[in-house]
Amino acid sequence: MSGYDPKAIERRWQQVWAEERTWEVANPGQPGFEGDKPKAYVLEMLPYPSGEPHVGHLKCYAVGDAIAHFRRRHGFEVIHPMGYDAFGLPAENNAIKTGEPPREATERSIDSFRRQFREWGISIDWSRELGTHTPEYYRWTQWIFLRLFERGLAYRDEAPVQWCPRDATVLANEQVVDGRCERCGTPVEQRRLEQWFFRITDYADRLLADFDQLESWPDHVVTMQRNWIGRSEGAEVSFRCEEVGLDFPVFTTRPDTLFGATFFVLAPEHPELERLVAGTPAEAAVREYVNDVVRASAEERGDEARPKTGVPLGRSVVNPVNGEEIPMYVADYVLMEYGTGAIMAVPAHDPRDYEFARSFDLPVRRVIEGSDEETARDAEGLPYAGDGPMTGSGSFDGKHNREAYEEIVGWLAAEGRGRKAVNYRLRDWLVSRQRYWGAPIPVVYCEGCGIVAVPDDQLPVELPEVEDYAPQGRSPLAAAEDWVATECPRCGKPARRETDTMDTFVDSSWYFIRYLDSRNEEAAWDRAAADHWLPVDQYIGGVEHAILHLMYARFFTKALADLGHLDVQEPFANLFTQGMITRDGAKMSKSKGNTVSPAEYVERYGADTARTYVCFMGPPERGGDWSDEGVEGVNRFLSRLWRLCEEVEGGEGAALEARAVEGDARALLAKAHWAIDKVTRDFQRGFQFNTAIAAVMELVNDAYRLKEGLHGDEQGAAAMRFAAATAASLVFPFAPHLGAEVWERLAGGRVWETPWPQADPELLSSDTVTLVVQVNGKLRDRIEAASDAPESELIELARASEKVRRHLDGKEVVKEIVVPGKLVNLVVR
RNA sequence: GCCCGGGUGGCGAAACUGGCAAAAGCGGCGCACUUAAAAUGCGCUGCCCCGAAAGGGGCUUGCGGGUUCGAGUCCCGCCCCGGGCACCA
């Protein structure tokens, strides 16, 4: 006996897979294309190559690979590609610190990722590999940018933006967390800058509606996106300021409370503020207030607990529903980015307006009556956000507010003072970055022609070499004078290149399409290939991308479909989000020193152990705490399977006629078929790999337990071989090397070319069952009974039991409940 | 505050559609093998009480109620932990 030697086994099979290009698949029209098989696109989120892969990567690719293998053995032609999201800040910040060009550090990391993915035995079609930082890739990122630009979906505009002073770049809204830069944690500042945006807000409704088209996404991911898009239905209502002759539209979700508006508030950034107060006594105070607000950080301003502040403008507007004049204020609780940057304040029915009214001693007018309890809670029960009959609202008095809602909006529309409106929390996607390590935005600025797109045949606009990667409030690319100075593609006169680069989320918003045709030099992809493989049938990745990446990719897919380049509206039909692995209960980080290096474990126990362990830790969608003892447990299991294989190797035949087998051999066969059924169902019910692996462990344990009794005869030996081969077949998606090796030794041939086993129904059921007998719902006895015994016989059996009788003693049985094949419950009094 | 998850032995967990709570793993204890240890194999392992033992009884899925012959699972009300959003009118 040689013992389990994962190194030798794993090296051997990795070589086979590499030499034979086992996992490569062909596109329509290419030789080897298997159009008769159903396709399955299995995709894990592409890694950001920084340093070495960590356990999160191991888990993601172990889970994805198990799914890929499972689908292949169910007759699917599985496409399972890999690439690298290689542009981005960490490599660049490293470059600033060490002077090493980001390309070099990134390439080094990619080499390490590639080598380790091969050592893990992940079944990847390497012929499709890509890196988003290569000109061959970003050429087409730029091409897509230009298509969006042509359609007005990419535009340049001056807007208040979030600026990270540490990274010296603007950020997308999605990249600001609690008023801080998502990457470095520095509080962000507001700046007014001209930047590039993608018009994702045009797609807000479709991004919401098409959740219906998805097959299976985790609810919480859908909910998070829904909240992020933040659709609100309401009305836009115009309030007129006669003194300056201006109309101020507001957005409200509560037009039914219009009669309760007692004041009016503008955001400090409101463009008409200047005009309203210029030359008035309020001017100085307003100016000072606005300056203070602008200086405050987003974090301070976002703090709800802070008392409301503001300044009166000395102006008033007219409430269109009752002609009442109400005073105007400026206050920072009103945001310029949402709605119209102005609100009608209804203190009786909005907590923020109420708070403001209290501070400034403004009238509070109730226009919706509450239920009795509601009113009783507080002296006045205000602010009241609920529903009820209207009051103080002219002809609407007495009507329920929900009913009056439509009527009021209708009246406003007829009067030309308002209309139905929808607002979104979602903002357009800010995509330009003042950083080096990204795809250059392919436009030039010409004095005569303005913004001019770089023609397609001049793509890619290659990233120039620079000496200093540090941003100084402008892109480092600006220093590459030779590169910046160019000529206008339209008029030929001198022009200057755009020096901003694109957000890396742009790169990762379409990579799953490029995989389908990654070597294409003529086009971003071939339509036939895209139409064949899309959508991704199973997408796997971390929840941290629930909003950003997934929403951007959905937007890209829709935009590209609208432009006629794709046939699908949704990129990812099914999504699986894996939970995070912790150590000692804490998120792994270098500073805490609790990181786990997959390479170390692969070296010590082999890739099969490492992969199987991360799938066994717990339900894959949940997190789990890394345990070295747990790893050893899994290693012990795989070793046991290996030794079992060595013991039963040789001898004739593994397949058996189930009907002909008896005793322990039959019991073991039945267990094997039970395991087949269990593993198959666990795969189908949301990838419950922890229990699937546990089932294979049970099978191996049973084989050990029954081993002694089975060695003697031919039938027993065959049953043992069948059990071991079945265990290998079932464990193959998790431990592919060991699975392939054991299968080859016991059954011959290649397990990945062998169809997934099917459980024999005859072996899943047995002639006898353990009947559970309860008295008043409490377990009193277990009795062996024929599985087809009639109810009357089961009751008789139950009553005959000594243990049961003890509890019936002197009492009357008032009811008998029978669940055939399972249980009898005697109810006594 | 609002929206999602989750709470079950010493630990991470299982439990299909309401029907034996705790599978498999880890840890612990014991036995075998060994000069010994490691490795390996086998067995025991939720808590409490009675019993020398065999055995018997009770309790137990965050808390409190409810529905049901029967509840970890369904309903109502709470508590705690994790995540997301948050002055979005």
Side-chain angles (χ1 to χ4, degrees):
Chain A
M1 263 199 251
S2 49
Y4 176 38
D5 179 8
K7 270 209 188 108
I9 297 172
E10 293 179 2
R11 198 177 308 118
R12 178 186 166 208
W13 290 103
Q14 281 161 21
Q15 231 161 37
V16 170
W17 297 330
E19 276 166 17
E20 301 185 4
R21 301 164 169 256
T22 313
W23 316 119
E24 291 185 16
V25 291
N27 280 351
Q30 290 177 340
F33 173 64
E34 303 212 37
D36 49 328
K37 284 200 210 168
K39 68 94 184 176
Y41 189 171
V42 177
L43 180 67
E44 301 95 18
M45 291 180 184
L46 89 175
Y48 176 81
S50 169
E52 308 243 317
H54 52 77
V55 274
H57 292 114
L58 177 66
K59 181 168 176 181
C60 182
Y61 300 109
V63 167
D65 207 38
I67 295 168
H69 279 311
F70 188 74
R71 294 264 166 99
R72 282 191 193 99
R73 291 182 61 196
H74 276 83
F76 286 89
E77 178 79 341
V78 170
I79 184 167
H80 189 214
M82 180 60 72
Y84 311 96
D85 185 18
F87 276 137
L89 275 184
E92 186 171 354
N93 287 340
N94 173 65
I96 294 164
K97 216 159 57 187
T98 66
E100 182 184 25
R103 176 167 282 108
E104 287 174 21
T106 302
E107 296 279 357
R108 193 151 27 86
S109 179
I110 287 176
D111 286 343
S112 166
F113 273 66
R114 186 188 293 120
R115 184 168 29 80
Q116 293 200 39
F117 289 160
R118 283 189 183 271
E119 282 171 5
W120 297 350
I122 310 289
S123 62
I124 292 162
D125 178 349
W126 287 105
S127 71
R128 296 168 183 271
E129 188 186 19
L130 60 80
T132 60
H133 67 306
T134 60
E136 295 76 28
Y137 183 87
Y138 69 69
R139 168 182 183 180
W140 301 109
T141 308
Q142 293 172 337
W143 179 85
I144 293 171
F145 179 96
L146 293 175
R147 300 291 81 75
L148 297 176
F149 180 60
E150 282 166 5
R151 280 289 184 111
L153 289 172
Y155 65 94
R156 195 168 159 79
D157 194 17
E158 191 188 279
V161 297
Q162 318 270 14
W163 172 267
C164 172
R166 167 111 168 243
D167 288 336
T169 183
V170 296
L171 299 169
N173 256 306
E174 288 79 359
Q175 289 161 339
V176 179
V177 177
D178 294 331
R180 290 165 180 275
C181 171
E182 176 199 47
R183 287 230 82 96
C184 66
T186 312
V188 299
E189 297 166 5
Q190 290 257 341
R191 291 197 178 181
R192 247 192 119 71
L193 291 170
E194 250 199 42
Q195 295 292 325
W196 284 96
F197 293 89
F198 285 161
R199 218 177 281 281
I200 191 171
T201 51
D202 273 12
Y203 286 77
D205 272 326
R206 282 166 63 189
L207 287 168
L208 285 172
D210 290 354
F211 284 130
D212 292 349
Q213 292 187 19
L214 304 173
E215 282 171 43
S216 155
W217 273 41
D219 285 342
H220 67 278
V221 173
V222 173
T223 308
M224 277 163 73
Q225 283 198 23
R226 206 167 251 143
N227 291 344
W228 188 265
I229 294 167
R231 183 191 151 98
S232 301
E233 286 186 23
E236 198 167 292
V237 187
S238 264
F239 286 67
R240 186 164 181 83
C241 176
E242 292 294 353
E243 296 147 297
V244 293
L246 278 176
D247 279 323
F248 287 93
V250 300
F251 173 74
T252 177
T253 53
R254 296 293 306 276
D256 53 316
T257 63
L258 258 165
F259 287 88
T262 55
F263 58 102
F264 193 93
V265 190
L266 296 181
E269 297 85 358
H270 200 285
E272 301 297 352
L273 210 49
E274 186 66 30
R275 240 169 104 177
L276 280 163
V277 296
T280 74
E283 184 173 4
V286 168
R287 188 151 290 161
E288 194 190 331
Y289 179 73
V290 170
N291 282 340
D292 285 350
V293 170
V294 170
R295 230 175 291 123
S297 70
E299 198 184 9
E300 282 162 18
R301 186 170 166 182
D303 183 4
E304 257 175 279
R306 210 177 41 132
K308 297 270 177 291
T309 60
V311 174
L313 300 184
R315 301 277 191 192
S316 57
V317 287
V318 176
N319 186 341
V321 294
N322 55 12
E324 200 175 340
E325 285 207 12
I326 54 176
M328 297 179 88
Y329 284 80
V330 56
D332 67 357
Y333 80 94
V334 175
L335 309 174
M336 194 58 224
E337 312 90 80
Y338 187 77
T340 61
I343 61 153
M344 64 167 197
V346 185
H349 303 291
D350 180 285
R352 298 150 303 182
D353 297 345
Y354 185 79
E355 205 192 313
F356 190 85
R358 276 295 179 82
S359 311
F360 288 78
D361 214 15
L362 291 158
V364 176
R365 189 190 306 149
R366 178 163 205 155
V367 291
I368 311 279
E369 285 170 15
S371 59
D372 289 344
E373 312 117 67
E374 209 72 54
T375 321
R377 191 149 33 116
D378 187 43
E380 296 178 302
L382 295 179
Y384 175 64
D387 295 322
M390 294 174 67
T391 176
S393 300
S395 59
F396 295 99
D397 280 3
K399 222 167 227 170
H400 193 267
N401 68 316
R402 294 273 153 195
E403 284 167 46
Y405 193 103
E406 294 291 333
E407 265 177 72
I408 292 178
V409 177
W411 182 86
L412 286 166
E415 294 288 311
R417 304 305 298 168
R419 58 186 173 83
K420 248 189 165 152
V422 173
N423 243 285
Y424 301 92
R425 215 190 70 109
L426 183 70
R427 313 282 149 78
D428 275 342
W429 175 11
L430 199 173
V431 294
S432 43
R433 297 289 181 274
Q434 291 71 54
R435 300 295 304 230
Y436 173 76
W437 192 229
I441 294 173
V443 301
V444 302
Y445 298 98
C446 166
E447 289 223 347
C449 311
I451 299 175
V452 181
V454 173
D456 288 355
D457 59 17
Q458 288 175 30
L459 297 182
V461 175
E462 282 208 45
L463 195 55
E465 296 299 328
V466 299
E467 266 157 39
D468 185 4
Y469 302 103
Q472 276 110 19
R474 55 170 201 172
S475 168
L477 297 188
E481 259 308 321
D482 292 352
W483 178 84
V484 174
T486 182
E487 59 183 40
C488 172
R490 195 174 297 161
C491 68
K493 288 191 187 138
R496 299 183 65 78
R497 288 191 190 279
E498 170 63 79
T499 57
D500 283 359
T501 53
M502 283 186 250
D503 181 4
T504 55
F505 278 103
V506 178
D507 308 325
S508 56
S509 291
W510 73 283
Y511 75 102
F512 51 93
I513 317 172
R514 182 64 181 174
Y515 277 147
L516 306 177
D517 200 12
S518 65
R519 299 284 174 270
N520 195 331
E521 290 178 11
E522 308 301 317
W525 56 81
D526 171 52
R527 246 331 260 284
D531 288 351
H532 175 70
W533 294 113
L534 288 176
V536 172
D537 294 281
Q538 185 62 59
Y539 201 29
I540 301 118
V543 237
E544 63 273 20
H545 294 110
I547 298 173
L548 293 160
H549 162 62
L550 289 168
M551 200 175 60
Y552 293 151
R554 294 180 64 215
F555 159 61
F556 257 50
T557 302
K558 290 177 192 306
L560 289 165
D562 289 353
L563 293 164
H565 297 295
L566 286 181
D567 192 36
V568 290
Q569 287 292 325
E570 284 292 332
F572 314 121
N574 296 283
L575 174 69
F576 183 84
T577 53
Q578 41 147 352
M580 203 179 38
I581 297 178
T582 56
R583 180 154 210 191
D584 308 320
K587 195 171 166 173
M588 290 184 200
S589 73
K590 279 188 193 127
S591 57
K592 281 194 210 106
N594 64 343
T595 55
V596 169
S597 152
E600 224 174 84
Y601 286 86
V602 169
E603 170 66 23
R604 189 165 344 144
Y605 299 103
D608 283 339
T609 293
R611 293 177 56 161
T612 307
Y613 174 64
V614 293
C615 290
F616 179 65
M617 290 176 79
E621 71 275 13
R622 271 196 254 163
D625 207 55
W626 184 273
S627 138
D628 284 352
E629 290 80 11
V631 178
E632 291 201 23
V634 168
N635 187 251
R636 198 144 40 222
F637 155 62
L638 295 180
S639 306
R640 272 160 74 84
L641 175 55
W642 176 258
R643 280 197 306 276
L644 190 65
C645 167
E646 289 194 315
E647 275 183 53
V648 302
E649 217 176 340
E652 290 290 303
L656 292 168
E657 270 301 310
R659 287 150 200 82
V661 184
E662 290 170 340
D664 282 356
R666 189 184 164 99
L668 187 55
L669 279 194
K671 187 71 180 183
H673 281 269
W674 167 84
I676 291 169
D677 182 59
K678 173 74 177 149
V679 173
T680 308
R681 279 187 297 118
D682 283 344
F683 255 100
Q684 286 160 350
R685 279 190 318 147
F687 313 124
Q688 295 175 29
F689 295 155
N690 52 329
T691 48
I693 293 164
V696 185
M697 287 176 174
E698 280 195 56
L699 172 58
V700 171
N701 289 349
D702 268 22
Y704 268 75
R705 257 192 290 275
L706 298 174
K707 193 157 80 163
E708 295 311 317
L710 292 177
H711 265 324
D713 64 302
E714 198 52 38
Q715 213 178 54
M720 290 288 288
R721 276 195 297 279
F722 179 77
T726 300
S729 175
L730 296 176
V731 89
F732 167 77
F734 311 105
H737 313 88
L738 178 69
E741 181 82 20
V742 170
W743 180 264
E744 189 190 54
R745 288 182 180 220
L746 298 182
R750 297 173 152 181
V751 67
W752 64 87
E753 291 167 1
T754 310
W756 189 254
Q758 284 203 310
D760 179 349
E762 189 169 330
L763 281 160
L764 289 180
S765 60
S766 83
D767 300 343
T768 61
V769 290
T770 305
L771 182 73
V772 170
V773 185
Q774 300 178 334
V775 177
N776 284 350
K778 284 194 173 147
L779 175 75
R780 293 306 173 191
D781 200 4
R782 289 172 231 257
I783 305 168
E784 284 300 306
S787 42
D788 55 359
E791 290 195 11
S792 56
E793 195 182 315
L794 295 178
I795 292 171
E796 231 171 278
L797 272 170
R799 281 174 173 273
S801 156
E802 176 49 38
K803 287 180 189 164
V804 171
R805 269 200 208 149
R806 215 177 295 156
H807 295 273
L808 298 182
D809 180 41
K811 292 176 191 138
E812 187 198 350
V813 176
V814 293
K815 201 166 184 181
E816 292 155 334
I817 312 268
V818 181
V819 182
K822 268 198 179 146
L823 141 163
V824 171
N825 186 14
L826 302 175
V827 185
V828 301
R829 216 176 11 216

